[in-house]
Amino acid sequence: MILLLLSLAAADPQTPPSSTTKPAASAPDKPVCKQFPITGSLVGSKKICKTRREWDDERAQLRASGTGFDACANGGVGGKC
């Protein structure tokens, strides 16, 4: 009888429940805050909070418009400088 119970227990190991949800860190609606320095101040900064989706949309718009930190790197061709 004991041998039967041991063999059944060994044949059917319990598997941990798998998580089907995504981690909260990659959620597009999770708020993300960034600190930006204030020009002319040694210690001042401005904190801006947006959702991850809003930051991604803003980044995509800046890349599409061509107005970024390196917009004048090509010598101002295209009239953007």
Side-chain angles (χ1 to χ4, degrees), residues 7-16:
S7 65
L8 288 176
D12 188 24
Q14 292 182 355
T15 59

Side-chain angles (χ1 to χ4, degrees), residues 24-63:
S26 65
D29 294 324
K30 179 182 176 186
V32 177
C33 296
K34 296 183 180 183
Q35 295 275 348
F36 294 96
I38 296 175
T39 304
S41 176
L42 295 176
V43 293
S45 64
K46 184 175 184 179
K47 184 177 181 179
I48 299 177
C49 297
K50 298 180 184 182
T51 64
R52 186 178 304 269
R53 180 176 291 143
E54 290 172 331
W55 285 116
D56 291 341
D57 290 344
E58 184 177 333
R59 183 180 305 119
Q61 288 174 354
L62 284 172
R63 287 183 178 174

